[in-house]
Amino acid sequence: MVAPLRWAQMTTQVVRAGQEDWAAVRDIRLRALSDAPEAFASRLSDERDRPESVWRDRLSSSDASTFLALDDGDAVGLVTAYRDPDEHTRAHLVSLWVSPDRRGHGVATALTEAVLRWAQLAEIRTVGLWVTETNDAARRLYERCGFADSGARQPLPSHPHLQEMAMHREITE
Ligand SMILES: CC(C)(COP(=O)(O)OP(=O)(O)OC[C@H]1O[C@@H](n2cnc3c(N)ncnc32)[C@H](O)[C@@H]1OP(=O)(O)O)[C@@H](O)C(=O)NCCC(=O)NCCS
């Protein structure tokens, strides 16, 4: 559990999701893909038809972590990080999304910080991610959280007319 963020009369908590949270994770992931399709490599149609077992498997892996931001129990934000299967001191941050009515209050920052703390505990040295080049809000957020442009570019798999850029952040002791 990560320290709660408080604003107005609402309290947002960042929690690590377990297998039992698979339906809430699926629901918010589908909302994210529907709200911001050009921010993600996966398509809504890829994720929508996956069976329960796939969601549970993702949440039970010891080499991955999914965090939910909860407002009074309702999921309003999501992020996942997983260890690179070939390079064990490297992890990837994916699927970051915050509900539009909760943006601008530090929820994504809190989710990203949760990933960075998880990475440190997991003895990860570098966290990498891909962000659509035109996604200024996400780029600014990542820069503020210490990520830098890695230089690599590739077409966004879900929308190949867009370019995504690689960013990375070193994890220090
Ligand atoms: C990108 C995204 C995740 C940012 O989420 P967010 O919760 O609004 O992010 P944060 O609040 O942590 O930071 C965003 C802004 O709020 C500001 N902010 C942070 N804490 C704040 C607070 N307590 N009060 C007011 N504003 C605050 C930040 O300064 C930042 O402003 P800036 O970007 O103009 O510099 C969100 O816009 C989103 O889900 N977009 C669609 C999906 C997406 O692009 N995902 C990234 C895929 S790579």
Side-chain angles (χ1 to χ4, degrees), residues 129-152:
L129 59 86
W130 289 94
V131 56
T132 309
E133 260 188 326
T134 49
N135 190 346
D136 291 336
R139 282 176 65 167
R140 273 203 308 271
L141 162 80
Y142 294 135
E143 282 164 9
R144 231 181 20 253
C145 291
F147 286 82
D149 186 351
S150 306

mmCIF file of all heavy atoms in Angstrom, residues 129-152:
data_model
loop_
_atom_site.group_PDB
_atom_site.id
_atom_site.type_symbol
_atom_site.label_atom_id
_atom_site.label_comp_id
_atom_site.label_asym_id
_atom_site.label_seq_id
_atom_site.Cartn_x
_atom_site.Cartn_y
_atom_site.Cartn_z
ATOM 1 N N LEU A 129 9.916 2.710 -21.032
ATOM 2 C CA LEU A 129 8.524 2.808 -21.480
ATOM 3 C C LEU A 129 8.507 3.386 -22.894
ATOM 4 O O LEU A 129 9.509 3.938 -23.367
ATOM 5 C CB LEU A 129 7.707 3.693 -20.526
ATOM 6 C CG LEU A 129 8.161 5.144 -20.334
ATOM 7 C CD1 LEU A 129 7.589 6.078 -21.395
ATOM 8 C CD2 LEU A 129 7.737 5.651 -18.969
ATOM 9 N N TRP A 130 7.348 3.246 -23.533
ATOM 10 C CA TRP A 130 7.113 3.876 -24.836
ATOM 11 C C TRP A 130 5.963 4.843 -24.679
ATOM 12 O O TRP A 130 4.963 4.519 -24.030
ATOM 13 C CB TRP A 130 6.750 2.829 -25.895
ATOM 14 C CG TRP A 130 7.894 1.955 -26.293
ATOM 15 C CD1 TRP A 130 8.205 0.728 -25.770
ATOM 16 C CD2 TRP A 130 8.874 2.230 -27.305
ATOM 17 N NE1 TRP A 130 9.328 0.225 -26.390
ATOM 18 C CE2 TRP A 130 9.758 1.124 -27.338
ATOM 19 C CE3 TRP A 130 9.096 3.280 -28.185
ATOM 20 C CZ2 TRP A 130 10.835 1.050 -28.216
ATOM 21 C CZ3 TRP A 130 10.167 3.208 -29.059
ATOM 22 C CH2 TRP A 130 11.030 2.104 -29.069
ATOM 23 N N VAL A 131 6.083 6.016 -25.271
ATOM 24 C CA VAL A 131 5.004 7.001 -25.207
ATOM 25 C C VAL A 131 4.827 7.587 -26.605
ATOM 26 O O VAL A 131 5.812 7.848 -27.311
ATOM 27 C CB VAL A 131 5.310 8.093 -24.145
ATOM 28 C CG1 VAL A 131 6.623 8.800 -24.379
ATOM 29 C CG2 VAL A 131 4.176 9.112 -24.048
ATOM 30 N N THR A 132 3.574 7.789 -27.002
ATOM 31 C CA THR A 132 3.298 8.395 -28.305
ATOM 32 C C THR A 132 3.910 9.795 -28.326
ATOM 33 O O THR A 132 3.705 10.578 -27.396
ATOM 34 C CB THR A 132 1.774 8.473 -28.542
ATOM 35 O OG1 THR A 132 1.220 7.180 -28.304
ATOM 36 C CG2 THR A 132 1.456 8.897 -29.967
ATOM 37 N N GLU A 133 4.673 10.086 -29.378
ATOM 38 C CA GLU A 133 5.429 11.352 -29.422
ATOM 39 C C GLU A 133 4.553 12.579 -29.227
ATOM 40 O O GLU A 133 4.980 13.566 -28.636
ATOM 41 C CB GLU A 133 6.138 11.470 -30.773
ATOM 42 C CG GLU A 133 7.585 11.094 -30.701
ATOM 43 C CD GLU A 133 8.295 11.418 -32.020
ATOM 44 O OE1 GLU A 133 7.659 11.311 -33.092
ATOM 45 O OE2 GLU A 133 9.463 11.768 -31.960
ATOM 46 N N THR A 134 3.298 12.508 -29.715
ATOM 47 C CA THR A 134 2.418 13.685 -29.626
ATOM 48 C C THR A 134 1.674 13.770 -28.280
ATOM 49 O O THR A 134 0.905 14.705 -28.069
ATOM 50 C CB THR A 134 1.375 13.616 -30.760
ATOM 51 O OG1 THR A 134 0.792 12.308 -30.743
ATOM 52 C CG2 THR A 134 2.013 13.877 -32.109
ATOM 53 N N ASN A 135 1.906 12.831 -27.380
ATOM 54 C CA ASN A 135 1.193 12.795 -26.097
ATOM 55 C C ASN A 135 1.939 13.663 -25.072
ATOM 56 O O ASN A 135 2.672 13.184 -24.210
ATOM 57 C CB ASN A 135 1.095 11.337 -25.617
ATOM 58 C CG ASN A 135 0.165 11.184 -24.421
ATOM 59 O OD1 ASN A 135 -0.212 12.171 -23.783
ATOM 60 N ND2 ASN A 135 -0.177 9.949 -24.113
ATOM 61 N N ASP A 136 1.714 14.997 -25.196
ATOM 62 C CA ASP A 136 2.486 15.939 -24.369
ATOM 63 C C ASP A 136 2.240 15.746 -22.874
ATOM 64 O O ASP A 136 3.168 15.867 -22.078
ATOM 65 C CB ASP A 136 2.135 17.380 -24.759
ATOM 66 C CG ASP A 136 2.648 17.723 -26.150
ATOM 67 O OD1 ASP A 136 3.611 17.072 -26.594
ATOM 68 O OD2 ASP A 136 2.079 18.625 -26.793
ATOM 69 N N ALA A 137 0.982 15.464 -22.491
ATOM 70 C CA ALA A 137 0.681 15.321 -21.054
ATOM 71 C C ALA A 137 1.497 14.177 -20.458
ATOM 72 O O ALA A 137 2.097 14.308 -19.382
ATOM 73 C CB ALA A 137 -0.810 15.088 -20.846
ATOM 74 N N ALA A 138 1.522 13.041 -21.173
ATOM 75 C CA ALA A 138 2.253 11.887 -20.646
ATOM 76 C C ALA A 138 3.762 12.139 -20.663
ATOM 77 O O ALA A 138 4.469 11.809 -19.709
ATOM 78 C CB ALA A 138 1.891 10.644 -21.462
ATOM 79 N N ARG A 139 4.257 12.758 -21.740
ATOM 80 C CA ARG A 139 5.708 13.036 -21.807
ATOM 81 C C ARG A 139 6.141 13.927 -20.656
ATOM 82 O O ARG A 139 7.155 13.676 -20.010
ATOM 83 C CB ARG A 139 6.056 13.697 -23.148
ATOM 84 C CG ARG A 139 6.114 12.699 -24.273
ATOM 85 C CD ARG A 139 6.370 13.381 -25.584
ATOM 86 N NE ARG A 139 7.675 14.021 -25.662
ATOM 87 C CZ ARG A 139 8.209 14.468 -26.780
ATOM 88 N NH1 ARG A 139 7.560 14.335 -27.911
ATOM 89 N NH2 ARG A 139 9.380 15.035 -26.789
ATOM 90 N N ARG A 140 5.349 14.981 -20.398
ATOM 91 C CA ARG A 140 5.695 15.904 -19.292
ATOM 92 C C ARG A 140 5.685 15.174 -17.958
ATOM 93 O O ARG A 140 6.559 15.354 -17.119
ATOM 94 C CB ARG A 140 4.683 17.051 -19.231
ATOM 95 C CG ARG A 140 5.009 18.224 -20.123
ATOM 96 C CD ARG A 140 4.332 19.484 -19.619
ATOM 97 N NE ARG A 140 2.889 19.304 -19.411
ATOM 98 C CZ ARG A 140 1.974 19.508 -20.357
ATOM 99 N NH1 ARG A 140 2.339 19.876 -21.579
ATOM 100 N NH2 ARG A 140 0.691 19.347 -20.112
ATOM 101 N N LEU A 141 4.671 14.340 -17.785
ATOM 102 C CA LEU A 141 4.571 13.572 -16.535
ATOM 103 C C LEU A 141 5.807 12.703 -16.348
ATOM 104 O O LEU A 141 6.434 12.689 -15.282
ATOM 105 C CB LEU A 141 3.320 12.700 -16.586
ATOM 106 C CG LEU A 141 3.297 11.541 -15.586
ATOM 107 C CD1 LEU A 141 2.904 12.056 -14.214
ATOM 108 C CD2 LEU A 141 2.374 10.450 -16.042
ATOM 109 N N TYR A 142 6.180 11.971 -17.399
ATOM 110 C CA TYR A 142 7.336 11.073 -17.276
ATOM 111 C C TYR A 142 8.622 11.865 -17.025
ATOM 112 O O TYR A 142 9.474 11.449 -16.227
ATOM 113 C CB TYR A 142 7.473 10.205 -18.529
ATOM 114 C CG TYR A 142 6.340 9.217 -18.725
ATOM 115 C CD1 TYR A 142 5.745 9.042 -19.970
ATOM 116 C CD2 TYR A 142 5.874 8.449 -17.666
ATOM 117 C CE1 TYR A 142 4.706 8.131 -20.153
ATOM 118 C CE2 TYR A 142 4.840 7.532 -17.839
ATOM 119 C CZ TYR A 142 4.255 7.380 -19.087
ATOM 120 O OH TYR A 142 3.235 6.477 -19.255
ATOM 121 N N GLU A 143 8.761 12.996 -17.715
ATOM 122 C CA GLU A 143 9.974 13.818 -17.500
ATOM 123 C C GLU A 143 10.031 14.290 -16.055
ATOM 124 O O GLU A 143 11.081 14.249 -15.418
ATOM 125 C CB GLU A 143 9.998 15.011 -18.466
ATOM 126 C CG GLU A 143 10.442 14.596 -19.855
ATOM 127 C CD GLU A 143 10.103 15.639 -20.920
ATOM 128 O OE1 GLU A 143 9.671 16.752 -20.550
ATOM 129 O OE2 GLU A 143 10.253 15.320 -22.105
ATOM 130 N N ARG A 144 8.885 14.727 -15.542
ATOM 131 C CA ARG A 144 8.863 15.173 -14.142
ATOM 132 C C ARG A 144 9.212 14.037 -13.192
ATOM 133 O O ARG A 144 9.757 14.253 -12.119
ATOM 134 C CB ARG A 144 7.478 15.716 -13.814
ATOM 135 C CG ARG A 144 7.494 17.063 -13.191
ATOM 136 C CD ARG A 144 6.116 17.595 -12.837
ATOM 137 N NE ARG A 144 5.066 16.625 -12.715
ATOM 138 C CZ ARG A 144 4.100 16.465 -13.611
ATOM 139 N NH1 ARG A 144 4.065 17.210 -14.688
ATOM 140 N NH2 ARG A 144 3.159 15.578 -13.418
ATOM 141 N N CYS A 145 8.902 12.815 -13.572
ATOM 142 C CA CYS A 145 9.216 11.648 -12.732
ATOM 143 C C CYS A 145 10.622 11.116 -13.016
ATOM 144 O O CYS A 145 10.986 10.036 -12.545
ATOM 145 C CB CYS A 145 8.182 10.546 -12.945
ATOM 146 S SG CYS A 145 6.550 10.959 -12.287
ATOM 147 N N GLY A 146 11.411 11.844 -13.803
ATOM 148 C CA GLY A 146 12.819 11.477 -13.977
ATOM 149 C C GLY A 146 13.147 10.644 -15.196
ATOM 150 O O GLY A 146 14.282 10.183 -15.353
ATOM 151 N N PHE A 147 12.183 10.446 -16.090
ATOM 152 C CA PHE A 147 12.452 9.676 -17.314
ATOM 153 C C PHE A 147 13.052 10.601 -18.379
ATOM 154 O O PHE A 147 12.704 11.780 -18.458
ATOM 155 C CB PHE A 147 11.158 9.059 -17.865
ATOM 156 C CG PHE A 147 10.652 7.891 -17.064
ATOM 157 C CD1 PHE A 147 9.908 8.086 -15.907
ATOM 158 C CD2 PHE A 147 10.937 6.586 -17.451
ATOM 159 C CE1 PHE A 147 9.444 7.022 -15.155
ATOM 160 C CE2 PHE A 147 10.473 5.505 -16.712
ATOM 161 C CZ PHE A 147 9.724 5.728 -15.553
ATOM 162 N N ALA A 148 13.945 10.024 -19.182
ATOM 163 C CA ALA A 148 14.585 10.788 -20.259
ATOM 164 C C ALA A 148 14.386 10.068 -21.587
ATOM 165 O O ALA A 148 14.217 8.835 -21.626
ATOM 166 C CB ALA A 148 16.076 10.929 -19.963
ATOM 167 N N ASP A 149 14.417 10.831 -22.659
ATOM 168 C CA ASP A 149 14.303 10.281 -24.020
ATOM 169 C C ASP A 149 15.462 9.322 -24.277
ATOM 170 O O ASP A 149 16.622 9.690 -24.095
ATOM 171 C CB ASP A 149 14.352 11.474 -24.995
ATOM 172 C CG ASP A 149 14.109 11.074 -26.441
ATOM 173 O OD1 ASP A 149 14.077 9.870 -26.740
ATOM 174 O OD2 ASP A 149 13.957 11.997 -27.265
ATOM 175 N N SER A 150 15.160 8.081 -24.668
ATOM 176 C CA SER A 150 16.222 7.113 -24.961
ATOM 177 C C SER A 150 16.728 7.239 -26.381
ATOM 178 O O SER A 150 17.712 6.592 -26.750
ATOM 179 C CB SER A 150 15.713 5.682 -24.776
ATOM 180 O OG SER A 150 15.158 5.510 -23.510
ATOM 181 N N GLY A 151 16.019 7.980 -27.215
ATOM 182 C CA GLY A 151 16.447 8.174 -28.604
ATOM 183 C C GLY A 151 15.733 7.277 -29.592
ATOM 184 O O GLY A 151 15.618 7.623 -30.764
ATOM 185 N N ALA A 152 15.218 6.124 -29.143
ATOM 186 C CA ALA A 152 14.591 5.177 -30.074
ATOM 187 C C ALA A 152 13.179 5.630 -30.450
ATOM 188 O O ALA A 152 12.468 6.236 -29.647
ATOM 189 C CB ALA A 152 14.535 3.787 -29.445
#
